[in-house]
Amino acid sequence: MTPTSVARKTLLAAVPLLAALFLSAAGQPTVHVAPMDSVGPRPVEQQTRSSIVRDYLQAWQSMGTALGENRPDLLDASFVGLAKDKLADTIREQRSLGIASSYRDQSHDLQVVFYSPEGLSIQLLDTVEYDVEVRDHGKTVGTQHVRTRYVAVLTPTESRWKVRVFQSGS
Amino acid sequence: MRSWVTLLCALIVVVTVPGLAGHASAQASDLRFPQKVEAGTAFSVSTTGSGSATLYIIGPGDTIRRVVHLGESISFGPDDLHNAGHYVAFLVSGSSTQNAQFEVTASHQAATLSFLAKPSRLPVNLPNGVSGVAYVFDIFRNLILQPQQISFELSDSSGRAQIRSATSRDGVAWVKMNSAAKAGPAQFQAEVASVRNKRVIQQVPGDPCSIRMTAHGLGQKDKARVALETEPVRDCNGNPVPDGTIVTFTETYQGGQSMVDVPLKRGVAKTELPSHNGAVISVASGVVMGNEIRWSGGL
Amino acid sequence: MTGSRLLGIILIIATVVLVVMGTIHPNQSGAMIADSRARLIGSASSPQDAVNNLMQQIGRRTWEAAYASLANKGEFTETEFVRDLNGNYGSLRSYANLDGFDSQPLRASGDEAQVRARMRWASVVGIFEDSRDLRVVRNGSQWEVAWPIVREAKVPPQVIPVNYLRWDVVYRGAEDDWGAQDVEAPHVRIIAMHPVDRGGGVVILGEVLNEDVVPAFVTVKASLLGSNGSTLATEDSFDKISHILLPKQVSPFRIDFRNVRLSQVDSVRIQPSANLVAASADPVIGIEGQKLTPLPDSSLTGSLVNQSGQVVNVAHVIGTFYDNKGQIVWVADQYPSRALLPQTPVPFTISLPADVSNKVGSYRVVASTYSSSRFQ
């Protein structure tokens, strides 16, 4: 076996691995949703089951972009009330310090734990893994991998569910 | 050649997946933060080494950047971190970075309640018709995830009260209660520790019950018409049905029919219809039927 | 002179002759009313010409000329004539235009004839028809129409006591305060629903009840679902419903779907929606003397009596027709063209399809009203 053939074989073997790593880094987070059949006190409607997950994951995307670009207006689509106020405050702090943080969610393990009797709030727990990268005036400070649990309360608006309480920790 | 290929692969992996670089540096952690800190409490973190460094604390709720002196402890006051959540910390000194993660938890002391009471209006005597949902927050508006005992009280206009207690789970507690038999505004209150939140529930009369009407001729005033009037209309619990409720009078006679939708005013509905001898006059409200009269005083 | 030159001259002469003939004897059809250049017949030399001339003048709103042409103008004033045709009190007629007319001779003698004129008026709620049997009399060589005036009822001066009752609504406002209460939307309920196959489409007939203690603005939307659960079509009741329902009031509704066959429909999803609105409990409208007219003019007739003291500009009458088992077989409506003056009967006619007419065992009529100062 010549050194050239070894190099070729090594490169060929590395291509699928590199592709998988690349896709995993740039792709959507993996999402697991626990069954909602026993959620109470109000049964979760079929339409709500899909929309609540879709809107919550969209909220993560909105938050990631808003904190990464320091643009509080991007929160409007997915956040309301308390959650929006707190995230907007953080963005203002970041902007005044010249800091930006990028949140890249990698996996979500979602469990709906409460759907209020009148259908006006739904609470879910999310064991989430994400990377947070911090930049100071454009220079990378560092990146950390985080695994934690989020508690989110979503409330219905005219067109979608929006996150009203968004808090990590146990 | 082999070493060149290996170097190339490693380079591609590092460039393509920047997260891996972060993971590598994140594992080199010497910064010792407490695992959990209660929101609004002071704490300090010790550092090693010498010279100055920059400390970054980043979370969805707060952002801090501070220049610190290595070898001294870093102090945080009660106002520095008050939003509950998971935070990452970086201590950057020259080319070296120390990492840490920690949690800020909600205070145990409830300060506000978000109380969702529904509906704001419902008929009397409806079992489990009223629902109350309470979310408990601390003074910094963090959801208190530790269980809290919440008391719910629904008192009607006569002062009679139903009291239920519920323990919050993940920050929320809820109850369902019956509406009272007596119509009127009811006070619905949720209370945790000494924090109260109040709502008003309008308990309104139910469907009319046994509607009764009378008919009489108008005499010389207008012999061609008959005057109809109900007795005061009440629901099955004796509550007067609100004014504005529609009562329908229908008069059926040979080959024709007359009808009129009349709103209750001062508890009764009254109207006039053409008088037809032998006509059958009925009264109804919604899907509730009242009595029938065979009119024999017509033209 | 060559043959082709001769042909050219003949064609020019023929064209001139045709233009002159067309100018002297224009086509007098009702469809020409909208054309302002349409010309009147030079002289009313026949009863039908007289009627056609009058209709043209009415269509152009040349009231003075129309009134001047009448045989019996001494019996009423020009104002009364205009009010007869053009309405008053902001009624439907006030905003309507004559869209067309037909005239049909009924009988004729040497000096007098009778012609039926059917006027089609275009209004904001569609076309309504006004049919008058006109007496036409000879006056020398001309014919003149004796207009059958319908005088507006005069309400005697009086005081009508009304305990005015209305609901006003105060909403909580746009401020986002989680948990803060807002006024509850009214609760409404569908109490009857019946889909029928009709005219190559599907018609949903039903009734909706406001079971709350507050007024509701109600709309009913229906979706036809196929066997695989897919939505075939979605429509709403538009104006075939009484939108404002006071507490415990019932309204019929009709939703028309074109181009869907009942055989394609597996189920129907009905979505009533209700909003709390400010409303008034007045005026009260009696619907008196309701009578079914059998074929061939199958219809329900009656009169609306405004029992309150307030003028109603426009009324809307909706009839629900049931078979002998109490099943709804049809819902139809009409907008009477005249305003409802206090205590003054105004007739209405709800037309019924011939095939439905035979099935009707009972019926129920509701009236909703619109006044210029408010919406009820």
Side-chain angles (χ1 to χ4, degrees):
Chain A
M1 196 179 279
T2 65
T4 314
S5 67
V6 169
R8 189 179 293 128
K9 281 185 180 174
T10 310
L11 274 173
L12 285 172
V15 165
L17 174 69
L18 291 172
L21 286 169
F22 181 80
L23 287 173
S24 134
Q28 298 294 310
T30 56
V31 179
H32 174 257
V33 183
M36 299 187 202
D37 298 326
S38 55
V39 176
R42 180 189 177 101
V44 185
E45 302 88 359
Q46 283 300 332
Q47 199 181 348
T48 306
R49 291 180 189 206
S50 55
S51 59
I52 196 78
V53 173
R54 181 195 64 214
D55 294 344
Y56 174 71
L57 294 174
Q58 180 59 47
W60 266 89
Q61 298 297 314
S62 303
M63 181 190 75
T65 318
L67 287 167
E69 298 178 13
N70 280 337
R71 284 181 55 193
D73 57 298
L74 297 177
L75 299 169
D76 294 346
S78 297
F79 292 89
V80 69
L82 203 56
K84 193 173 106 175
D85 293 349
K86 288 194 171 192
L87 286 169
D89 285 348
T90 304
I91 290 172
R92 273 189 284 275
E93 281 175 5
Q94 285 194 166
R95 193 190 277 167
S96 68
L97 294 169
I99 291 173
S101 53
S102 298
Y103 286 76
R104 286 188 294 272
D105 50 331
Q106 294 172 350
S107 72
H108 295 273
D109 191 351
L110 296 170
Q111 188 191 1
V112 174
V113 291
F114 176 73
Y115 189 23
S116 62
E118 76 298 322
L120 290 181
S121 67
I122 196 161
Q123 186 180 39
L124 51 86
L125 304 179
D126 178 17
T127 303
V128 59
E129 288 193 45
Y130 59 91
D131 283 339
V132 55
E133 182 192 2
V134 178
R135 295 183 304 280
D136 188 350
H137 292 92
K139 187 182 162 197
T140 301
V141 171
T143 302
Q144 291 196 41
H145 181 75
V146 175
R147 179 186 160 84
T148 186
R149 190 185 77 150
Y150 266 80
V151 179
V153 178
L154 289 89
T155 56
T157 62
E158 288 81 7
S159 54
R160 62 191 306 167
W161 290 87
K162 287 191 181 181
V163 178
R164 188 174 279 277
V165 175
F166 189 60
Q167 186 174 308
S168 65
S170 47
Chain B
M1 185 65 186
R2 182 175 295 181
S3 60
W4 179 83
V5 169
T6 311
L7 185 66
L8 179 69
C9 288
L11 189 68
I12 291 170
V13 167
V14 168
V15 167
T16 317
V17 192
L20 293 185
H23 294 168
S25 69
Q27 281 152 12
S29 172
D30 289 320
L31 196 56
R32 297 277 166 84
F33 268 80
Q35 206 176 11
K36 286 185 181 178
V37 178
E38 190 176 308
T41 56
F43 67 101
S44 61
V45 177
S46 60
T47 62
T48 56
S50 60
S52 66
T54 307
L55 174 72
Y56 297 88
I57 294 178
I58 306 290
D62 278 307
T63 303
I64 292 174
R65 184 180 63 194
R66 192 185 286 182
V67 176
V68 299
H69 294 287
L70 295 176
E72 295 176 5
S73 64
I74 309 165
S75 296
F76 295 90
D79 290 336
D80 286 336
L81 285 167
H82 51 243
N83 283 318
H86 194 93
Y87 288 81
V88 293
F90 300 91
L91 186 62
V92 182
S93 172
S95 60
S96 79
T97 302
Q98 297 175 54
N99 298 337
Q101 295 183 14
F102 64 100
E103 269 181 20
V104 174
T105 60
S107 157
H108 287 73
Q109 186 66 44
T112 57
L113 269 176
S114 278
F115 184 29
L116 284 71
K118 278 275 174 179
S120 60
R121 184 181 66 253
L122 84 164
V124 293
N125 249 359
L126 199 62
N128 290 326
V130 183
S131 78
V133 175
Y135 288 88
V136 192
F137 295 90
D138 69 8
I139 195 164
F140 305 108
R141 301 197 298 165
N142 298 310
L143 189 64
I144 301 178
L145 302 176
Q146 283 73 28
Q148 305 276 316
Q149 200 68 21
I150 300 175
S151 162
F152 295 89
E153 183 177 325
L154 180 67
S155 48
D156 65 23
S157 51
S158 64
R160 208 171 296 167
Q162 302 170 59
I163 297 172
R164 299 254 200 294
S165 187
T167 305
S168 69
R169 193 174 161 189
D170 293 315
V172 59
W174 65 279
V175 289
K176 276 192 167 185
M177 290 190 173
N178 310 331
S179 62
K182 188 172 161 43
Q187 301 275 341
F188 194 15
Q189 177 180 278
E191 182 177 358
V192 58
S194 57
V195 181
R196 294 185 189 90
N197 210 330
K198 223 176 244 184
R199 303 281 180 239
V200 175
I201 307 280
Q202 289 290 339
Q203 300 183 121
V204 299
D207 279 338
C209 205
S210 66
I211 311 166
R212 291 200 62 79
M213 68 165 164
T214 55
H216 63 270
L218 292 175
Q220 293 306 314
K221 188 183 160 197
D222 192 347
K223 286 181 180 169
R225 296 185 78 78
V226 54
L228 305 167
E229 183 172 346
T230 64
E231 291 173 4
V233 181
R234 295 180 179 278
D235 73 1
C236 295
N237 292 296
N239 298 296
V241 170
D243 277 3
T245 300
I246 291 294
V247 172
T248 304
F249 295 95
T250 307
E251 179 193 30
T252 310
Y253 48 88
Q254 189 63 41
Q257 175 179 289
S258 294
M259 63 187 300
V260 61
D261 279 353
V262 182
L264 286 179
K265 287 183 179 178
R266 294 179 183 169
V268 300
K270 48 185 173 185
T271 190
E272 291 171 13
L273 285 175
S275 176
H276 292 274
N277 205 359
V280 174
I281 303 171
S282 62
V283 64
S285 181
V287 291
V288 178
M289 297 294 296
N291 64 325
E292 257 186 20
I293 291 172
R294 184 170 288 278
W295 180 244
S296 54
L299 294 174
Chain C
M1 188 181 282
T2 63
S4 61
R5 200 166 176 184
L6 181 67
L7 181 65
I9 291 168
I10 291 170
L11 281 173
I12 289 168
I13 292 169
T15 306
V16 170
V17 168
L18 286 171
V19 168
V20 170
M21 282 175 65
T23 309
I24 294 170
H25 301 289
N27 179 14
Q28 293 297 311
S29 80
M32 290 177 66
I33 282 172
D35 182 1
S36 60
R37 291 166 301 170
R39 296 182 57 177
L40 296 178
I41 298 164
S43 61
S45 55
S46 71
Q48 202 154 354
D49 284 350
V51 171
N52 288 343
N53 274 349
L54 181 65
M55 291 297 122
Q56 294 280 358
Q57 285 161 335
I58 290 170
R60 291 177 196 159
R61 294 172 175 263
T62 48
W63 304 118
E64 199 178 334
Y67 178 71
S69 73
L70 299 177
N72 60 337
K73 51 185 171 286
E75 296 170 13
F76 48 86
T77 64
E78 185 185 324
T79 307
E80 286 174 313
F81 173 64
V82 174
R83 279 188 182 166
D84 179 15
L85 287 160
N86 208 25
N88 200 7
Y89 298 103
S91 69
L92 212 52
R93 282 174 178 266
S94 307
Y95 306 103
N97 289 310
L98 188 60
D99 189 53
F101 67 89
D102 296 316
S103 55
Q104 179 194 352
L106 297 176
R107 57 188 169 77
S109 64
D111 294 330
E112 192 173 314
Q114 196 161 25
V115 179
R116 177 165 295 164
R118 281 204 184 89
M119 292 172 277
R120 290 183 301 278
W121 295 86
S123 77
V124 288
V125 293
I127 297 281
F128 66 85
E129 216 171 74
D130 185 0
S131 180
R132 306 280 179 111
D133 288 350
L134 306 176
R135 192 168 64 88
V136 190
V137 293
R138 183 194 286 275
N139 185 0
S141 62
Q142 298 292 302
W143 289 83
E144 290 175 348
V145 175
W147 185 254
I149 191 81
V150 177
R151 281 199 177 82
E152 205 161 64
K154 285 222 180 340
V155 183
Q158 61 191 298
V159 177
I160 299 171
V162 176
N163 295 322
Y164 204 64
L165 173 67
R166 64 171 281 123
W167 294 259
D168 288 322
V169 187
V170 180
Y171 292 97
R172 79 175 203 193
E175 197 178 323
D176 179 54
D177 177 14
W178 191 32
Q181 285 177 300
D182 204 355
V183 284
E184 193 83 9
H187 295 199
V188 299
R189 184 160 58 95
I190 302 288
I191 53 172
M193 195 278 281
H194 181 47
V196 295
D197 207 346
R198 187 162 187 87
V202 174
V203 176
I204 307 285
L205 307 166
E207 286 178 303
V208 58
L209 161 72
N210 176 5
E211 54 183 1
D212 215 318
V213 297
V214 292
F217 185 90
V218 182
T219 53
V220 180
K221 196 164 83 172
S223 296
L224 303 181
L225 307 179
S227 53
N228 58 356
S230 62
T231 303
L232 301 173
T234 300
E235 293 286 350
D236 68 31
S237 51
F238 192 51
D239 73 336
K240 297 290 184 283
I241 188 170
S242 180
H243 281 291
I244 294 198
L245 291 185
L246 300 184
K248 307 291 183 280
Q249 198 167 23
V250 176
S251 170
F253 63 85
R254 190 180 100 195
I255 305 172
D256 298 337
F257 293 87
R258 291 179 179 83
N259 307 320
V260 182
R261 301 309 305 256
L262 194 55
S263 55
Q264 297 172 258
V265 179
D266 184 63
S267 59
V268 179
R269 188 171 59 220
I270 295 268
Q271 294 163 279
S273 66
N275 293 311
L276 189 53
V277 286
S280 164
D282 290 286
V284 173
I285 308 295
I287 308 164
E288 301 184 356
Q290 301 166 32
K291 205 165 76 177
L292 271 176
T293 307
L295 288 167
D297 298 321
S298 53
S299 59
L300 176 73
T301 57
S303 57
L304 303 179
V305 181
N306 177 359
Q307 297 189 353
S308 306
Q310 187 183 21
V311 173
V312 170
N313 304 109
V314 179
H316 184 204
V317 197
I318 315 177
T320 321
F321 301 89
Y322 311 86
D323 63 13
N324 289 324
K325 294 174 188 163
Q327 174 89 276
I328 301 176
V329 291
W330 195 238
V331 170
D333 67 332
Q334 197 231 343
Y335 290 87
S337 64
R338 295 186 188 278
L340 307 187
L341 304 183
Q343 321 290 337
T344 308
V346 169
F348 69 87
T349 304
I350 299 175
S351 298
L352 272 173
D355 60 320
V356 170
S357 174
N358 295 329
K359 297 179 194 164
V360 175
S362 60
Y363 50 88
R364 187 176 184 281
V365 185
V366 295
S368 54
T369 59
Y370 306 84
S371 292
S372 55
S373 56
R374 66 183 167 74
F375 177 70
Q376 152 86 350

